[in-house]
Amino acid sequence: MRRPGRWLTSSSSGRRVPRKEVPMSTTVHRKPQAPRYRAPAPIGGRRRPAVGQRRKNLQALSFLLPALLVLGAFTAWPMVSALRLSFTNASGFGKEKWVGFENYARIFTDPVIINAVVNTGLYALLFTPTAVALALVLALLLNDPRLPFRGFFRTALFLPFIISLAVAAIAWAYLIDPQVGLLNYWLSSAGIRIGNVLQDPVLAMPAVAFVAVWKSFGFYMVIFLAGLQEIPGSLYEAARVDGAGAWTRFRHVTMPMLSNTTAFVLIFALIAALQAFDQIYVMTGGGPYGHTETVVMQIYTSGFRKLDVGFASALSYVLLGATLLLSVIQFVFFGRREREGD
Amino acid sequence: MKRSLTILTAVAAASLALTSCSGAGTGASDNTKAELTFWHGYTEADGKVLNKIVEDFNASQSNVTIKVQTNPWSVIDDTLLPALSSGNGPDIVAMPAERLPVYADKGAFVELDDFYKDSNSNLDKLVPAAADMETVNGHKYGVPSGFVPLAMFYNKALFAKAGITTPPATWSEWIAAAKKLTIDENKDGTPEQYGLGLPDHATVANGVWPSLFYGNGGDVVKDGKAVVDSPENAETLKTWVDAVRNDKISPSGLDGIAGDKLFSSGKAAMYLGGPWMSSIAKESNIDYGIAAVPAGPKEQAASAIGISMGITSQKDGAKTAAAQKFFAYFLQKEQATAWSLGSGWPPLRSDIPASAVASNPVVEALTKQSEFGRPLLPGVVNSTDVLTAVDKLTQRAVAGENIKNLLAETQTSVQKVLDTK
């Protein structure tokens, strides 16, 4: 399973973490990654590999088994059954019929689904660059030793990430509520009216994207910070000696050295964007009239409202495929840039 | 590996059963004793009354025990599918009536045609419109536990201030009163007080706009055909959209929850709602009155909020029989009256007059309006999509889009939904 290259696939979530760029010691808020297991050289040389090796394999397997079982039962098995369901008209109550590719055909012809796909794309365009750029800018600021109270700012900016997105969405929905919202009240006393943002077909999508940016940029920021701290100071010194200004140093030292981190953050943010659901479900329910309806919202509606589990499974698989494809494209793109950069 | 997976799944399922629905599925092997689980969403005072009825039923039975689990309606809707498909679901489940056809069509419920013919079932005493909610594809799949038309709640203090003594009884009176009750003191174009809270999407039990459509002789679906695009509905939309957009009698972009808040904060003088509005208003110290939804030019009618109970089809015959016993018990005159008084919903039996529930003035008032109640989309299997289409229609109309085009568009999409099976 271990693939050559710079990526280590974390087992539980399938999310990728750049091995070198995020060392264990950083404060990245996620499950610690086990260091790569290297079997110690067998005692007495490699004379009898058959018996010793088999025992080691068994031992390794017994250590892995609990995790494998959990993964198998809660990730692999549901994925396999969802794949099977996606070719049926299953409802979850026993009655089901094989329908071949009918569900998949419906995805590409149903205007409601196409609308959701377009919306998801729009959301990704709003969310991904904003979150990544904001995270980068703030990471650069926080990385500057001249900034006072760095620890405080770092914690404060990271704080929203700890809150559940649904809770953040409820709080924001209250803040911008046109009747009882605090934000509206403050703004209106300053003479500004933002109206009913969540019911405005143009503003609703930016609003739900904003909440997601607010909640998640802290996480990307911390990863950028870790990446920035990995860049040797000598490079900047050398650049300074060569007369490079702040912008040139950023453009020709920071950015190239940060490209792995950037790639990781971008892929991560894009995957998060394609799975947009929580705050939309809470704040707009897909409205006003379908303007914030995303693919995952449609999966939920098809599966749990209309009990069309087969179709929902097919849609999940199409989303999985699209996410994979976009990640691979980004991965290849950044990989190529990296090689050219070297 | 495969075996251990099975074991693990079993363990996982068991632990889920422990946390989410204790006791479900246990004791099913014993034929003489049936233990049933009943999911419902009556979370307020009404829940206590219902649970008391269940307890009394259990006491009256020697070999049937019903265990109750209460969760919000939305949670029931979200968890029922996974629970049933993993075999851990309830035996009896209550849900909003327009959700019943969705589940019934997928084979989730036991068909109850024979039970309806049984003279001991008490079902022949039901309010006829309530029984209509339970028919899907020509068969009965549920028993109503609640049926009440939307009613108009009005703020007596604001009425007195505006010098209005009686609640409006017709549309023209209604709109005139709403205009009078809309106050924009600082003249900034946004009234501080609205005459009416008129949600344009996700309305109370999805019934506000259907009620308005009925009032002018229109409808959404009739005999399995889409009838949205009618001159009557166009007129209805024009009347109310004008009142909202030009006369500002209600904020636009309102949904049911925001509407509840608007009325309970005293910012709207009138509101269409269900029985629970009386307790919401009481908690907010609002002196409220209840009147029927004012009569439209053609008809006085209101969409009803309905709750149905079904027997899930995963269970054996003994459990089905036990559940039917409970339904018959629940619909006896004594229990039906107690349930009505305790829940605040009008009696489900047509032979219980308003005077029998006079001890609860809210119930009495609502019972008098029972005759105006019409079930929402009875028997429409894909009610989800139809209601979404209606929501989009009203929301876009209130936002100022062309009503004629919108109606034509909605007609097409609703008909398409009805055609796809």
Side-chain angles (χ1 to χ4, degrees), chain B residues 187-347:
Chain B
K187 305 274 177 236
D188 64 348
T190 310
E192 289 76 48
Q193 178 190 311
Y194 293 96
L196 177 69
L198 183 65
D200 59 20
H201 68 288
T203 67
V204 185
N206 296 300
V208 169
W209 287 89
S211 301
L212 294 175
F213 290 149
Y214 302 152
N216 198 27
D219 206 333
V220 178
V221 175
K222 201 161 201 172
D223 305 325
K225 289 266 175 299
V227 291
V228 181
D229 191 5
S230 64
E232 290 85 10
N233 284 351
E235 205 179 281
T236 307
L237 279 171
K238 192 180 175 309
T239 307
W240 290 100
V241 168
D242 275 354
V244 172
R245 288 183 63 82
N246 303 335
D247 302 320
K248 304 246 187 286
I249 60 157
S250 163
S252 57
L254 207 63
D255 66 12
I257 296 166
D260 285 5
K261 271 193 267 175
L262 202 69
F263 182 77
S264 61
S265 62
K267 280 183 153 188
M270 294 180 279
Y271 187 59
L272 299 187
W276 57 86
M277 273 317 290
S278 60
S279 52
I280 292 181
K282 217 179 286 168
E283 277 164 25
S284 318
N285 289 321
I286 287 187
D287 186 13
Y288 67 95
I290 303 177
V293 174
K298 302 266 166 62
E299 209 173 329
Q300 180 156 25
S303 175
I305 310 157
I307 311 280
S308 300
M309 299 183 287
I311 305 172
T312 59
S313 53
Q314 59 178 353
K315 302 302 173 189
D316 52 60
K319 288 197 164 189
T320 305
Q324 291 179 344
K325 250 186 217 168
F326 170 69
F327 289 159
Y329 179 87
F330 175 78
L331 290 172
Q332 289 179 48
K333 210 163 186 177
E334 186 193 334
Q335 279 69 25
T337 311
W339 170 232
S340 162
L341 285 170
S343 65
W345 292 51

Side-chain angles (χ1 to χ4, degrees), chain A residues 69 72-74 91-93 95 111 174 177 179-180 193 196 199 281 288-290 300 303-307 309, chain B residues 8 12 77-78 81 84-85 99 102-103 105-106 108 188 201 251 253 261-262 267 382 384-385 392 395-396 399:
Chain A
L69 280 179
F74 294 106
S91 63
F93 300 113
K95 278 199 298 187
Y174 260 106
D177 186 287
Q179 314 295 340
V180 296
R193 285 204 175 279
N196 198 345
Q199 294 306 328
Y281 175 76
Y289 35 97
Y300 168 77
F304 288 93
R305 299 279 124 204
K306 300 196 242 166
L307 310 181
V309 177
Chain B
L8 190 92
D77 211 358
D78 280 348
L81 168 67
L84 286 180
S85 52
R99 297 289 298 152
V102 187
Y103 285 92
D105 182 64
K106 303 286 182 188
D188 64 348
H201 68 288
K261 271 193 267 175
L262 202 69
K267 280 183 153 188
N382 204 339
T384 318
D385 280 345
K392 279 186 190 175
Q395 208 173 0
R396 290 170 69 178

